[in-house]
Amino acid sequence: MNGELSRRRFLVLGGLGVAATTSWAMGRGAPAGAADLAEPPVLRSHRGRLEVTLVAAPGVRLAGRDTQALGYNGRSPGPTLRVRPGDELALRLTNNLSTPTNLHTHGLRVSPQGNADNPFVMVDPGASFDYRIQIPKDHPVGTFWYHPHHHGTTADQIFGGLAGALVVAAEPDLSVTRERVLVITDTTLTKDGHVADPGGMGRMMGRRGDLVLVNGEHRPTLAATTGTTQRWRIVNACASRILRLHLTGPGLHQIALDGIYLHRPQSAGVVLLSPGNRADFLVSPEAPGRFELRTEPRPPEEDNGSGPTNAPAPKPIRLATLAVTGSRRRAPSLPTALPAAPAITGPVHGNRKITFEMTMGGMGLGGLLPDGMGMGDGGMAWTIDGRSFDPKRDDQKVRAGDVEEWTIANDSPMDHPFHLHVWGFQVVADSSNNPVSGTAQDVVMVPANGWVRVRVAFTGFTGRTLYHCHVADHSDAGMMATVNVS
Ligand code: C2O
Ligand code: CU
């Protein structure tokens, strides 16, 4: 079946799970016979519209086994949704899980209201919901993703396997031989193929699965040929695991963060990807060999003695093997400039301070609590500004159109990645004096006992939505709040 034909079939059959396992997207450019990682099937928009049904249900193949893990349309990660700026995404979500769910289009600059990217929607077991998401004509092209966002079940459902990539792209905007979508998830499976309960400590600190998977496979092989360039769109879709990506051999050249192009490719040694972050890379091997895509342990100089989520893993974890064939051959040179979006400039209308805290009995204990003390005790909560999430409360009211600077402080002994829906932000300064990227992103790590200052342009959309820690266990435990822009 040729690609065009199967794309059409996806458009017609997009909602029917089984059709979505055809793998037209895999293997292009791979040497014949070599093992190569399959991609999630791609559902593309057609004439300005992507109409798709996603059925969330248990029962997927994961790490080469039949499991009771969760998936969309029978697989984890779910299909890759591919739309263009200006398209409408008409998505029916059907909940065949035993707990309520919903869907967030993470990173999309779209309305948070009504049946658009509204995180307050709740879809009960057995029910369906029709999302209609209008993607603006001037929406940035890039790598985004979708995942459940129902307060209290988010970590379980993401860890269970519910996540998928969402690519906004017009024409191919860089000339590469091969484009890959690599969705990284982690989970722990029991002997009988169920998703393991993380236990009280895992829920409190942020669970990490025994298996770190790429497109649902454990340690897959990625095939490549010398002298060619691949673009990798990597999504950290782990519920709570922080990744520090490193590729041995040819290395990674980062071209985008959170779907937004950097100004120029950056040679990247180790790339920190918090849960929710995405990064796009160019990979240009010139010599044959087998190389490793890894997540590296936290470097000792960044170790602040915090708890299990951040504790330095003793060794790197191999995520995938890059198998390069062919004779030594120069790769095409990297682009010198990228179509980066302009920086957020103009007068700042307001400043706010937002504080991530660990709270016990209503009292912030940030920085005071000795290592490990009180963890898992009753009454301990992850909070923002001393308060637990309340969907009915407006925590911040912002005037539509304003540009604001928010200083996100972390008064707790663990790292917390800050995420803001809909508008995204640009980092302007942080407590470690890191150079600022000058481009927008939507998740930024706020290190333990540190701070990050971000600039947000509350333009384009009004409505209520969320900001939170993207360690899903922490947001489920209360580290989430609302912003009302009107
Ligand atoms: Cu990726 Cu509020 O979510
Ligand atoms: Cu957190």
Side-chain angles (χ1 to χ4, degrees), residues 131-470:
Y131 289 95
R132 286 282 177 286
I133 298 173
Q134 188 58 51
I135 298 159
K137 280 206 172 60
D138 60 353
H139 194 286
V141 295
T143 308
F144 303 88
W145 67 299
Y146 61 89
H147 64 80
H149 213 301
H150 176 260
H151 183 59
T153 62
T154 301
D156 283 345
Q157 291 181 0
I158 294 178
F159 193 71
L162 292 180
L166 202 173
V167 174
V168 181
E171 299 310 320
D173 36 21
L174 293 174
S175 61
V176 294
T177 312
R178 167 97 191 252
E179 190 177 301
R180 294 179 182 272
V181 168
L182 303 173
V183 180
I184 301 180
T185 57
D186 71 343
T187 198
T188 302
L189 294 170
T190 61
K191 271 212 181 73
D192 62 351
H194 285 78
V195 176
D197 188 280
M201 187 62 105
R203 283 180 201 283
M204 183 56 72
M205 308 308 286
R207 69 193 76 184
R208 290 188 300 184
D210 294 345
L211 295 169
V212 189
L213 305 173
V214 183
N215 295 349
E217 301 288 343
H218 190 226
R219 299 181 162 173
T221 298
L222 310 173
T225 314
T226 52
T228 66
T229 301
Q230 298 192 357
R231 176 188 186 147
W232 294 1
R233 299 175 180 271
I234 298 189
V235 181
N236 183 354
C238 297
S240 297
R241 178 188 288 275
I242 296 159
L243 299 173
R244 288 181 171 78
L245 292 181
H246 174 65
L247 176 66
T248 64
L252 296 167
H253 291 270
Q254 188 174 356
I255 55 168
L257 170 62
D258 288 350
I260 310 292
Y261 277 118
L262 306 177
H263 292 283
R264 60 195 63 81
Q266 283 173 15
S267 158
V270 175
V271 180
L272 174 71
L273 282 193
S274 298
N277 274 138
R278 290 85 62 213
D280 290 29
F281 299 101
L282 296 179
V283 176
S284 309
E286 300 192 326
R290 294 175 73 79
F291 308 103
E292 288 190 0
L293 178 67
R294 302 171 172 162
T295 179
E296 296 286 344
R298 192 173 218 256
E301 67 274 15
E302 276 178 35
D303 183 24
N304 52 20
S306 47
T309 293
N310 306 324
K315 317 191 226 62
I317 298 170
R318 174 158 56 91
L319 304 177
T321 299
L322 174 66
V324 181
T325 53
S327 50
R328 182 174 276 279
R329 202 145 59 95
R330 273 192 87 85
S333 48
L334 296 171
T336 49
L338 294 164
I344 304 172
T345 52
V348 173
H349 304 97
N351 294 275
R352 295 172 202 248
K353 189 174 179 207
I354 310 283
T355 307
F356 284 143
E357 290 168 324
M358 192 165 60
T359 303
M360 196 179 290
M363 200 179 79
L365 293 175
L368 297 175
L369 203 72
D371 264 345
M373 198 196 104
M375 295 301 172
D377 280 358
M380 205 207 100
W382 295 112
T383 56
I384 297 179
D385 298 324
R387 301 190 291 200
S388 237
F389 178 60
D390 176 353
K392 291 191 203 69
R393 186 181 64 218
D394 280 349
D395 293 292
Q396 311 294 336
K397 291 187 192 172
V398 175
R399 200 171 55 193
D402 277 4
V403 173
E404 296 202 354
E405 283 193 357
W406 289 17
T407 301
I408 321 299
N410 181 353
D411 282 0
S412 86
M414 285 186 82
D415 295 347
H416 300 289
F418 171 80
H419 172 53
L420 170 67
H421 287 209
V422 177
W423 296 279
F425 50 78
Q426 192 174 309
V427 172
V428 292
D430 68 23
S431 51
S432 337
N433 269 314
N434 288 318
V436 298
S437 71
T439 55
Q441 62 193 89
D442 56 64
V443 177
V444 66
M445 178 59 83
V446 188
N449 301 308
W451 56 267
V452 172
R453 186 167 306 128
V454 300
R455 188 174 296 166
V456 190
F458 288 96
T459 51
F461 306 96
T462 57
R464 276 179 99 235
T465 191
L466 303 172
Y467 56 95
H468 56 91
C469 171
H470 216 295

Side-chain angles (χ1 to χ4, degrees), residues 91-153:
L91 189 154
R92 168 166 293 184
L93 174 66
T94 296
N95 182 0
N96 286 349
L97 309 168
S98 57
T99 50
T101 192
N102 63 9
L103 194 100
H104 170 45
T105 51
H106 179 126
L108 288 195
R109 275 57 165 175
V110 296
S111 170
Q113 300 197 32
N115 58 357
D117 183 25
N118 180 347
F120 303 101
V121 163
M122 191 198 288
V123 187
D124 284 322
S128 291
F129 186 84
D130 288 319
Y131 289 95
R132 286 282 177 286
I133 298 173
Q134 188 58 51
I135 298 159
K137 280 206 172 60
D138 60 353
H139 194 286
V141 295
T143 308
F144 303 88
W145 67 299
Y146 61 89
H147 64 80
H149 213 301
H150 176 260
H151 183 59
T153 62

